[in-house]
Structures are given as structure tokens and as C-alpha cells.
Amino acid sequence: MPSPHTHGHDVGERLLVHRHTAIHRLPAEVKTVAMVSFILIVVFTPPEQFWAFGVYALMLAAVARAALIPAKIILPRMLVEVPFVLFAVLMPFFGTGDTVEVFGITMYTAGLLAAWNILIKGTLGVVASILLAATTPARDLLLGLERLRVPTLLVQIAAFMLRYMHVVTDEMGRMKLARDARGFTATGIRSWPVIAQSAGALFIRSYERGERVHLAMLSRGYTGRLPRLDNAVTLRSDWVKSMMLPAGALIVAVTATVVQP
Amino acid sequence: MTTPPSLLIDSLAFAYPDGHQALFGVHLRVNRGERVALLGPNGAGKTTLVLHLNGLLSGGVGTVSVAGLAVEPENYPEIRRRVGVVFQDPDDQLFMPTVRDDVAFGPANAGVTGAELDAAVSSALDAVGMLDFADRPPHHLSFGQRRRVALATVLVMRPEILVMDEPSSNLDPASRRELADIVRSLDITLLMVTHDLPYALELCPRSVILSDGVIVADGPTREILLDEQLMTRNRLELPFGFDPRNISSPT
């Protein structure tokens, strides 16, 4: 097995884990649909059916295995979830109603269940997204969204973000160098205004660049629609393959809802 | 019957909405196949003039026409095909995910598709020596390579007139020379906005000076560069040690 590596060092493709597997080869739009449906099904599953979430996790593990994405790549990336679920961790400590004692700490049952609900569903969604991003080049994702008839405006915004993220982070890096070169060191709260001003300047510069890019686009006949540049055909068998994941999840969810205590 | 000039600007005046007037009646005629340098100090109105050539700015007084076609809103699609503007910062010009997509952007907007589009893209990239980079994202290229791709994105439209804004800025000497070689190899009308006077002498037999919103000089590049009074009046200076007399004229 080749060691995991990412191609290039560019921001847009940093998430892609380059491998040659059936999952990498699937068209982006079928993977996107499969991921979104999977997440929706997970969200609609009753939280008290703990076993169902175990099955979902196993399903994602199977996908990760088939795509040759090891846990040591997935786990660090899951950290993006932390700020979003932080408040979920506090939920068991506030509320009313029944309480339980865990290791001598009193917690509210309702809050505990709500926290579990957010935590597990959030985590499964994040892992599913990580798998999609790790197996699909960013540009293909955009083409996939286009084929799914996502409004072109949204696709265009995402495409520009992808293209200019690098330019803007470079600019940010240069501004930081220029600050440091003049003896600035970030020391606590008193340096915040400088950082804030830099952020403001970066915003203005990016905004002005946006205007220049728009002029350049108009110069080449832009009329509000980006031309469709690919004509790949999606096979029915690709749809069947990738919908296996949400189909399996659907069976689990229906079972979990029906046998609800 | 004579062919209409590639570019004809008549009494063009323009003020920005904030009241700042940038152009005060510009007259300029560029015949087909001419290579003309547009010189002038910062703030002379050069960029404003360029943006008028394909209707990105309008609403002032006077007319602009490209190969006989007036720059009017109803003609914008054809005008923007005829006028190929290469902007100064290639990162502004190259906005698509890959070089190939970017070069295809203009012709695709004009309705070209399929094999014809592929052939046009390949030939434009070949003309600037960037065919091998077609599938690379623009930000993985060097600055000089990006500027060459930017040139390809307008060449692919087979423009009547090529307008380049500061083509030699930020290029290392080798990239600068490579770009000059490419420009010379093209059989095309060129209007080149530049502060790089040796570059103007190298590439453009004729130069015009735009100063305070009017054309104050129009003549052979060598004569203009040798007119010390004219140069000083318009804040133009030759680089240290550069003497146009020692260099043979461009043809």
C-alpha cells in the first residue's frame, strides 16, 4: 500500500488524498448526493436508538476502508467540529427534570440525550464530509454541483473561493511579514487593533481584487454564466453503487423508528 | 475600399462619478498591424482609456470604434471579442480552476464548443509556449508563465487589437524577453501601456504620450524618447545608461 500523500501543496486540494480506488473514481455528483442523503437520514434517526448510530459509524468505516483513507487522516480533520459541538458538551449541566449521577456529577437526562444527539449526528456528518473531500478533487466537486443543477451563482462563488483562497492567504502572509519586519510582535490584547486593521486591509484588498477580476471577466464576454466546460456522462451503475450507503442507512433509520420503545 | 483602422478614438472625454475628470478629449488612430506604445506618467488616464476600448467604462463624450464597429452596448459581445485586454495582474485575469478552462472562457462565452473550442485553446496556448501546462491550476505557475497564459486567454479570441497593460511589470529579464519574442511573433495590432521605455522602443515603432487626459505627443518611439524636453515635461525618464541612439529601431 502506498503511503498516504496529498498532491501538490495548494490550499484547494489539500484535502484530497490521492488514491486509485473505486470510490475515488465515482463521479463527484453521485458522491455528493450520497453524502447529503446519508447525513439527512442520520439526522432524522431517533437519538435514543443508540445501536443505529453504531451501524452508521460502521458503514462510514467501511467506506473509508474501501477508499483507503486511514483513521490517522480522518481523526485530525475531525477537529474542525470542536467549536460547533462545544456548547453541546455543556447541555447536560443545565436544565430541568430528571437527573442522573455520573462519577459523582449530577446531570440532566434530557440535556444528556440532547448533547448526545448533537454530538453523534454532528460527528457522523463531519466524517461523511471528510470522506467526500478526501476522495474527490475540489474542481470535480464544483463540476458535480453544476451537473446537479445547483444554482450557478453558488457554484461560481465556490469556484472563486477555491481559486483565490491561495492568492488571499499569500497576501495575508505578506502583510504579516511586513508587520513583523517593522518590529511588530503579537503580545496579548494590545496587539489586537493591529491585527484587526490588517484584517480590514485584507478585506478591502480582496474586495478591490474582486472588482478587477470582474472587469477582466467582462472583457472576455462574461454575461453572468460561466460556460459549462465538461461533457462527462454519469453512468447509472455509478448512481447504484454510491446510493448503497444512504440506502443502507435508510433501512437502519426506518428500523430504528419503527421499533422505537 | 480601405480597411477601417483597428482603433479610432475621437474626442473622448470622461469624468468619474466622483467628479474626477480623467480624459479631456483624446484622439487616437491605430491602423491595422501597427504596434503602438501608450506612455505617460502615473495618473495620466492610461487605465481609464484602456477601459473605454471595450466599453467597461462609458458615458462620457466622444466615440471609440474598433475596426469600424462603434463601442456601444449593443455591440459589446463583438467588441469584447475584437479587443483583447491583458490586465496587469495575471491573478485578476486568470480566475478559472485550470489553465485550459481559463483560455476556453472567452470563446465559450462566444458560443464556441467541442472540438473547435479544444483546437482554439490548444493553438492559443501553443502560441505562448504554454501548451504543456494546460491542466495546471493557474496559481501553480510562475508569474511569467501566468502572464503568458493571460495573453493566451485573449489571443484565443483572435482579437482585432491586443491591449496590454504594463506587460513587462514584475517580470524577470528572461521572462521579459520571452514575452517580447511572443509579441513579435504575433501578427496583430498592439496597443501597449507601459512605463518600460526600452520595452516600448524594442516592440513599438510608434509611441503616444498621454498626459493629464490628452495625447500630447505621437510619433516614432525613438524620436519621442530622444526629445528631452518632451520627456521631462511628462515625467518620463529613460533608465540609467540607456541610450536609444545605440539601439537599432524596431520594425
Short mmCIF file of all heavy atoms in Angstrom, two decimals, chain A residues 156 160 213-229, chain B residues 80 92-113 117 120-121 152-154 156-157:
data_model
loop_
_atom_site.label_atom_id
_atom_site.label_comp_id
_atom_site.label_asym_id
_atom_site.label_seq_id
_atom_site.Cartn_x
_atom_site.Cartn_y
_atom_site.Cartn_z
N GLN A 156 -20.41 29.30 -8.76
CA GLN A 156 -19.39 30.29 -9.13
C GLN A 156 -18.70 30.85 -7.89
O GLN A 156 -17.48 30.99 -7.85
CB GLN A 156 -20.02 31.44 -9.91
CG GLN A 156 -20.33 31.06 -11.34
CD GLN A 156 -20.95 32.23 -12.09
OE1 GLN A 156 -20.61 33.37 -11.86
NE2 GLN A 156 -21.87 31.93 -12.99
N PHE A 160 -14.72 30.57 -7.21
CA PHE A 160 -13.83 31.72 -7.00
C PHE A 160 -13.12 31.62 -5.66
O PHE A 160 -11.96 31.99 -5.54
CB PHE A 160 -14.61 33.03 -7.10
CG PHE A 160 -14.87 33.40 -8.52
CD1 PHE A 160 -16.13 33.26 -9.06
CD2 PHE A 160 -13.84 33.85 -9.32
CE1 PHE A 160 -16.37 33.57 -10.39
CE2 PHE A 160 -14.07 34.16 -10.64
CZ PHE A 160 -15.34 34.02 -11.17
N VAL A 213 -11.17 41.49 -11.08
CA VAL A 213 -11.46 40.21 -11.73
C VAL A 213 -12.74 40.34 -12.55
O VAL A 213 -12.83 39.85 -13.68
CB VAL A 213 -11.61 39.10 -10.67
CG1 VAL A 213 -12.12 37.81 -11.31
CG2 VAL A 213 -10.30 38.84 -9.97
N HIS A 214 -13.72 41.02 -11.98
CA HIS A 214 -14.98 41.20 -12.70
C HIS A 214 -14.77 41.94 -14.01
O HIS A 214 -15.32 41.55 -15.05
CB HIS A 214 -15.97 41.93 -11.80
CG HIS A 214 -17.35 42.00 -12.37
ND1 HIS A 214 -18.04 43.18 -12.49
CD2 HIS A 214 -18.15 41.06 -12.89
CE1 HIS A 214 -19.22 42.94 -13.04
NE2 HIS A 214 -19.31 41.67 -13.29
N LEU A 215 -13.95 42.99 -13.97
CA LEU A 215 -13.64 43.72 -15.21
C LEU A 215 -12.99 42.79 -16.23
O LEU A 215 -13.34 42.80 -17.42
CB LEU A 215 -12.71 44.89 -14.93
CG LEU A 215 -13.31 46.12 -14.27
CD1 LEU A 215 -12.24 47.18 -14.08
CD2 LEU A 215 -14.46 46.67 -15.10
N ALA A 216 -12.04 41.98 -15.74
CA ALA A 216 -11.34 41.07 -16.65
C ALA A 216 -12.33 40.07 -17.26
O ALA A 216 -12.21 39.69 -18.42
CB ALA A 216 -10.22 40.34 -15.91
N MET A 217 -13.31 39.66 -16.46
CA MET A 217 -14.30 38.70 -16.97
C MET A 217 -15.18 39.36 -18.02
O MET A 217 -15.45 38.79 -19.08
CB MET A 217 -15.16 38.18 -15.82
CG MET A 217 -14.39 37.33 -14.85
SD MET A 217 -15.37 36.90 -13.43
CE MET A 217 -16.47 35.70 -14.17
N LEU A 218 -15.63 40.58 -17.71
CA LEU A 218 -16.46 41.30 -18.68
C LEU A 218 -15.71 41.49 -20.00
O LEU A 218 -16.29 41.38 -21.08
CB LEU A 218 -16.87 42.66 -18.12
CG LEU A 218 -17.86 42.64 -16.96
CD1 LEU A 218 -18.08 44.05 -16.45
CD2 LEU A 218 -19.18 42.03 -17.40
N SER A 219 -14.40 41.75 -19.88
CA SER A 219 -13.59 41.96 -21.08
C SER A 219 -13.62 40.75 -21.99
O SER A 219 -13.37 40.86 -23.18
CB SER A 219 -12.14 42.22 -20.71
OG SER A 219 -12.02 43.44 -20.09
N ARG A 220 -13.85 39.59 -21.40
CA ARG A 220 -13.85 38.40 -22.23
C ARG A 220 -15.27 37.88 -22.45
O ARG A 220 -15.49 36.70 -22.66
CB ARG A 220 -12.96 37.34 -21.61
CG ARG A 220 -11.50 37.75 -21.75
CD ARG A 220 -10.58 36.59 -21.57
NE ARG A 220 -10.31 36.33 -20.17
CZ ARG A 220 -10.02 35.12 -19.70
NH1 ARG A 220 -10.01 34.09 -20.50
NH2 ARG A 220 -9.77 34.98 -18.44
N GLY A 221 -16.23 38.79 -22.38
CA GLY A 221 -17.57 38.43 -22.81
C GLY A 221 -18.43 37.76 -21.75
O GLY A 221 -19.42 37.11 -22.07
N TYR A 222 -18.06 37.91 -20.45
CA TYR A 222 -18.86 37.31 -19.38
C TYR A 222 -20.23 37.95 -19.34
O TYR A 222 -20.36 39.17 -19.40
CB TYR A 222 -18.14 37.52 -18.06
CG TYR A 222 -18.86 37.02 -16.83
CD1 TYR A 222 -19.00 35.67 -16.60
CD2 TYR A 222 -19.38 37.92 -15.91
CE1 TYR A 222 -19.64 35.21 -15.46
CE2 TYR A 222 -20.01 37.47 -14.76
CZ TYR A 222 -20.13 36.11 -14.54
OH TYR A 222 -20.76 35.67 -13.41
N THR A 223 -21.27 37.12 -19.26
CA THR A 223 -22.61 37.67 -19.22
C THR A 223 -23.38 37.18 -18.00
O THR A 223 -24.60 37.28 -17.95
CB THR A 223 -23.41 37.28 -20.47
OG1 THR A 223 -23.31 35.86 -20.63
CG2 THR A 223 -22.87 37.97 -21.70
N GLY A 224 -22.69 36.61 -17.02
CA GLY A 224 -23.38 36.16 -15.82
C GLY A 224 -23.40 34.65 -15.67
O GLY A 224 -23.74 34.13 -14.63
N ARG A 225 -23.01 33.95 -16.72
CA ARG A 225 -22.97 32.48 -16.62
C ARG A 225 -21.59 31.99 -16.99
O ARG A 225 -21.04 32.40 -18.01
CB ARG A 225 -24.00 31.86 -17.56
CG ARG A 225 -25.36 31.74 -16.92
CD ARG A 225 -26.27 30.81 -17.73
NE ARG A 225 -25.53 29.88 -18.57
CZ ARG A 225 -25.79 29.70 -19.86
NH1 ARG A 225 -26.73 30.37 -20.45
NH2 ARG A 225 -25.10 28.83 -20.56
N LEU A 226 -21.06 31.11 -16.16
CA LEU A 226 -19.80 30.50 -16.55
C LEU A 226 -20.13 29.41 -17.56
O LEU A 226 -21.08 28.66 -17.36
CB LEU A 226 -19.09 29.88 -15.35
CG LEU A 226 -18.45 30.84 -14.35
CD1 LEU A 226 -17.68 30.07 -13.31
CD2 LEU A 226 -17.52 31.81 -15.05
N PRO A 227 -19.34 29.31 -18.64
CA PRO A 227 -19.64 28.26 -19.60
C PRO A 227 -19.43 26.87 -19.00
O PRO A 227 -18.54 26.69 -18.18
CB PRO A 227 -18.64 28.53 -20.72
CG PRO A 227 -17.58 29.36 -20.13
CD PRO A 227 -18.19 30.12 -19.00
N ARG A 228 -20.24 25.93 -19.38
CA ARG A 228 -20.05 24.54 -18.96
C ARG A 228 -18.92 23.96 -19.77
O ARG A 228 -18.95 23.98 -20.99
CB ARG A 228 -21.32 23.73 -19.23
CG ARG A 228 -22.11 23.44 -17.99
CD ARG A 228 -23.19 22.46 -18.32
NE ARG A 228 -22.68 21.12 -18.12
CZ ARG A 228 -23.45 20.11 -17.75
NH1 ARG A 228 -24.73 20.29 -17.60
NH2 ARG A 228 -22.94 18.92 -17.58
N LEU A 229 -17.94 23.43 -19.09
CA LEU A 229 -16.75 23.04 -19.84
C LEU A 229 -16.54 21.53 -19.87
O LEU A 229 -15.62 21.05 -20.48
CB LEU A 229 -15.52 23.72 -19.25
CG LEU A 229 -15.54 25.24 -19.43
CD1 LEU A 229 -14.44 25.88 -18.63
CD2 LEU A 229 -15.42 25.62 -20.89
N ARG B 80 -15.97 42.97 -27.40
CA ARG B 80 -15.10 42.31 -26.42
C ARG B 80 -14.37 41.12 -27.02
O ARG B 80 -13.38 40.66 -26.48
CB ARG B 80 -15.92 41.93 -25.19
CG ARG B 80 -16.20 43.17 -24.39
CD ARG B 80 -17.17 43.06 -23.27
NE ARG B 80 -17.40 44.42 -22.76
CZ ARG B 80 -18.27 44.73 -21.83
NH1 ARG B 80 -19.00 43.77 -21.28
NH2 ARG B 80 -18.42 45.96 -21.45
N ASP B 92 -5.69 38.61 -11.61
CA ASP B 92 -7.02 39.17 -11.87
C ASP B 92 -7.62 38.55 -13.12
O ASP B 92 -8.83 38.42 -13.25
CB ASP B 92 -6.94 40.69 -12.08
CG ASP B 92 -6.51 41.41 -10.83
OD1 ASP B 92 -6.58 40.80 -9.75
OD2 ASP B 92 -6.11 42.58 -10.93
N GLN B 93 -6.74 38.20 -14.03
CA GLN B 93 -7.23 37.73 -15.33
C GLN B 93 -7.54 36.24 -15.32
O GLN B 93 -8.44 35.79 -16.01
CB GLN B 93 -6.16 38.02 -16.39
CG GLN B 93 -6.59 37.63 -17.78
CD GLN B 93 -6.50 38.79 -18.73
OE1 GLN B 93 -5.85 39.78 -18.46
NE2 GLN B 93 -7.15 38.68 -19.86
N LEU B 94 -6.77 35.48 -14.55
CA LEU B 94 -6.93 34.02 -14.57
C LEU B 94 -7.75 33.61 -13.37
O LEU B 94 -7.27 33.58 -12.26
CB LEU B 94 -5.55 33.36 -14.54
CG LEU B 94 -4.59 33.84 -15.62
CD1 LEU B 94 -3.23 33.21 -15.44
CD2 LEU B 94 -5.14 33.55 -17.00
N PHE B 95 -9.00 33.29 -13.61
CA PHE B 95 -9.88 33.01 -12.46
C PHE B 95 -10.48 31.63 -12.51
O PHE B 95 -11.22 31.24 -11.63
CB PHE B 95 -11.00 34.06 -12.40
CG PHE B 95 -11.62 34.35 -13.73
CD1 PHE B 95 -12.57 33.51 -14.24
CD2 PHE B 95 -11.22 35.45 -14.47
CE1 PHE B 95 -13.11 33.77 -15.48
CE2 PHE B 95 -11.76 35.71 -15.71
CZ PHE B 95 -12.72 34.87 -16.22
N MET B 96 -10.22 30.86 -13.57
CA MET B 96 -10.82 29.54 -13.66
C MET B 96 -9.89 28.51 -12.99
O MET B 96 -8.72 28.78 -12.77
CB MET B 96 -11.07 29.17 -15.12
CG MET B 96 -12.08 30.08 -15.80
SD MET B 96 -13.77 29.81 -15.25
CE MET B 96 -14.26 28.46 -16.32
N PRO B 97 -10.43 27.32 -12.67
CA PRO B 97 -9.61 26.35 -11.92
C PRO B 97 -8.38 25.84 -12.67
O PRO B 97 -7.39 25.49 -12.05
CB PRO B 97 -10.58 25.19 -11.64
CG PRO B 97 -11.94 25.75 -11.85
CD PRO B 97 -11.81 26.86 -12.83
N THR B 98 -8.43 25.74 -13.99
CA THR B 98 -7.25 25.29 -14.72
C THR B 98 -6.95 26.23 -15.87
O THR B 98 -7.81 26.99 -16.31
CB THR B 98 -7.41 23.87 -15.32
OG1 THR B 98 -8.40 23.93 -16.35
CG2 THR B 98 -7.82 22.84 -14.28
N VAL B 99 -5.71 26.16 -16.35
CA VAL B 99 -5.27 26.99 -17.47
C VAL B 99 -6.19 26.76 -18.68
O VAL B 99 -6.63 27.71 -19.34
CB VAL B 99 -3.81 26.64 -17.80
CG1 VAL B 99 -3.41 27.21 -19.15
CG2 VAL B 99 -2.89 27.15 -16.71
N ARG B 100 -6.49 25.49 -18.95
CA ARG B 100 -7.31 25.18 -20.12
C ARG B 100 -8.70 25.83 -20.01
O ARG B 100 -9.18 26.47 -20.95
CB ARG B 100 -7.46 23.66 -20.25
CG ARG B 100 -8.22 23.21 -21.48
CD ARG B 100 -8.56 21.74 -21.40
NE ARG B 100 -7.41 20.87 -21.19
CZ ARG B 100 -6.57 20.52 -22.17
NH1 ARG B 100 -6.77 20.94 -23.40
NH2 ARG B 100 -5.56 19.73 -21.91
N ASP B 101 -9.32 25.69 -18.84
CA ASP B 101 -10.64 26.28 -18.64
C ASP B 101 -10.61 27.79 -18.83
O ASP B 101 -11.53 28.40 -19.35
CB ASP B 101 -11.16 26.00 -17.22
CG ASP B 101 -11.49 24.53 -17.02
OD1 ASP B 101 -11.51 23.81 -18.03
OD2 ASP B 101 -11.71 24.14 -15.87
N ASP B 102 -9.51 28.38 -18.34
CA ASP B 102 -9.42 29.82 -18.40
C ASP B 102 -9.30 30.31 -19.84
O ASP B 102 -9.96 31.26 -20.25
CB ASP B 102 -8.24 30.32 -17.57
CG ASP B 102 -8.55 31.63 -16.93
OD1 ASP B 102 -8.77 32.60 -17.68
OD2 ASP B 102 -8.61 31.71 -15.71
N VAL B 103 -8.47 29.62 -20.61
CA VAL B 103 -8.31 30.03 -22.01
C VAL B 103 -9.63 29.79 -22.76
O VAL B 103 -9.99 30.55 -23.66
CB VAL B 103 -7.13 29.27 -22.66
CG1 VAL B 103 -7.01 29.62 -24.13
CG2 VAL B 103 -5.84 29.60 -21.93
N ALA B 104 -10.36 28.77 -22.35
CA ALA B 104 -11.62 28.45 -23.03
C ALA B 104 -12.74 29.42 -22.66
O ALA B 104 -13.76 29.49 -23.35
CB ALA B 104 -12.06 27.02 -22.69
N PHE B 105 -12.54 30.19 -21.58
CA PHE B 105 -13.63 31.03 -21.06
C PHE B 105 -14.19 32.00 -22.10
O PHE B 105 -15.41 32.06 -22.31
CB PHE B 105 -13.12 31.80 -19.84
CG PHE B 105 -14.12 32.74 -19.23
CD1 PHE B 105 -15.09 32.27 -18.38
CD2 PHE B 105 -14.08 34.10 -19.52
CE1 PHE B 105 -16.02 33.14 -17.81
CE2 PHE B 105 -15.00 34.97 -18.96
CZ PHE B 105 -15.97 34.48 -18.11
N GLY B 106 -13.31 32.73 -22.77
CA GLY B 106 -13.76 33.73 -23.73
C GLY B 106 -14.52 33.11 -24.89
O GLY B 106 -15.68 33.46 -25.15
N PRO B 107 -13.89 32.17 -25.62
CA PRO B 107 -14.61 31.56 -26.76
C PRO B 107 -15.88 30.83 -26.33
O PRO B 107 -16.88 30.86 -27.07
CB PRO B 107 -13.59 30.59 -27.37
CG PRO B 107 -12.41 30.57 -26.48
CD PRO B 107 -12.49 31.75 -25.57
N ALA B 108 -15.87 30.21 -25.14
CA ALA B 108 -17.09 29.52 -24.69
C ALA B 108 -18.21 30.53 -24.49
O ALA B 108 -19.37 30.27 -24.80
CB ALA B 108 -16.81 28.74 -23.41
N ASN B 109 -17.86 31.72 -23.96
CA ASN B 109 -18.87 32.77 -23.83
C ASN B 109 -19.41 33.17 -25.19
O ASN B 109 -20.57 33.58 -25.31
CB ASN B 109 -18.27 34.01 -23.16
CG ASN B 109 -18.22 33.88 -21.66
OD1 ASN B 109 -19.09 33.26 -21.07
ND2 ASN B 109 -17.20 34.42 -21.05
N ALA B 110 -18.55 33.07 -26.21
CA ALA B 110 -18.98 33.45 -27.55
C ALA B 110 -19.70 32.29 -28.24
O ALA B 110 -20.07 32.41 -29.41
CB ALA B 110 -17.77 33.89 -28.37
N GLY B 111 -19.85 31.18 -27.55
CA GLY B 111 -20.65 30.08 -28.10
C GLY B 111 -19.86 29.00 -28.82
O GLY B 111 -20.44 28.10 -29.41
N VAL B 112 -18.53 29.06 -28.74
CA VAL B 112 -17.71 28.01 -29.37
C VAL B 112 -17.71 26.78 -28.46
O VAL B 112 -17.59 26.91 -27.25
CB VAL B 112 -16.27 28.51 -29.61
CG1 VAL B 112 -15.43 27.44 -30.29
CG2 VAL B 112 -16.28 29.79 -30.41
N THR B 113 -17.86 25.59 -29.03
CA THR B 113 -17.90 24.38 -28.20
C THR B 113 -17.11 23.25 -28.87
O THR B 113 -16.67 23.37 -30.01
CB THR B 113 -19.35 23.86 -28.01
OG1 THR B 113 -19.93 23.73 -29.30
CG2 THR B 113 -20.17 24.78 -27.15
N LEU B 117 -13.52 24.32 -29.97
CA LEU B 117 -13.03 25.00 -28.77
C LEU B 117 -11.68 24.43 -28.35
O LEU B 117 -10.73 25.18 -28.09
CB LEU B 117 -14.06 24.84 -27.64
CG LEU B 117 -13.74 25.53 -26.30
CD1 LEU B 117 -13.64 27.02 -26.47
CD2 LEU B 117 -14.79 25.20 -25.26
N ALA B 120 -8.95 25.68 -30.65
CA ALA B 120 -8.63 27.09 -30.44
C ALA B 120 -7.78 27.26 -29.18
O ALA B 120 -6.80 28.00 -29.17
CB ALA B 120 -9.92 27.91 -30.34
N VAL B 121 -8.17 26.54 -28.12
CA VAL B 121 -7.43 26.63 -26.86
C VAL B 121 -6.00 26.14 -27.04
O VAL B 121 -5.04 26.79 -26.64
CB VAL B 121 -8.15 25.82 -25.76
CG1 VAL B 121 -7.28 25.70 -24.52
CG2 VAL B 121 -9.49 26.47 -25.40
N ALA B 152 -2.62 34.30 -23.66
CA ALA B 152 -3.33 33.27 -24.44
C ALA B 152 -4.84 33.40 -24.29
O ALA B 152 -5.60 33.16 -25.23
CB ALA B 152 -2.89 31.87 -23.99
N THR B 153 -5.30 33.82 -23.09
CA THR B 153 -6.75 33.91 -22.88
C THR B 153 -7.39 34.95 -23.78
O THR B 153 -8.59 34.89 -24.02
CB THR B 153 -7.10 34.27 -21.42
OG1 THR B 153 -6.64 35.59 -21.14
CG2 THR B 153 -6.53 33.29 -20.44
N VAL B 154 -6.60 35.92 -24.26
CA VAL B 154 -7.21 36.87 -25.20
C VAL B 154 -6.86 36.52 -26.64
O VAL B 154 -7.65 36.76 -27.55
CB VAL B 154 -6.85 38.34 -24.87
CG1 VAL B 154 -7.29 38.70 -23.48
CG2 VAL B 154 -5.41 38.61 -25.07
N VAL B 156 -6.87 33.69 -27.91
CA VAL B 156 -7.79 32.65 -28.34
C VAL B 156 -9.05 33.24 -28.99
O VAL B 156 -9.74 32.59 -29.76
CB VAL B 156 -8.15 31.73 -27.14
CG1 VAL B 156 -9.07 32.45 -26.18
CG2 VAL B 156 -8.74 30.42 -27.61
N MET B 157 -9.30 34.52 -28.69
CA MET B 157 -10.48 35.18 -29.27
C MET B 157 -10.18 35.75 -30.66
O MET B 157 -11.03 36.36 -31.27
CB MET B 157 -10.92 36.34 -28.38
CG MET B 157 -11.01 36.03 -26.91
SD MET B 157 -12.58 35.33 -26.51
CE MET B 157 -13.53 36.82 -26.31
#
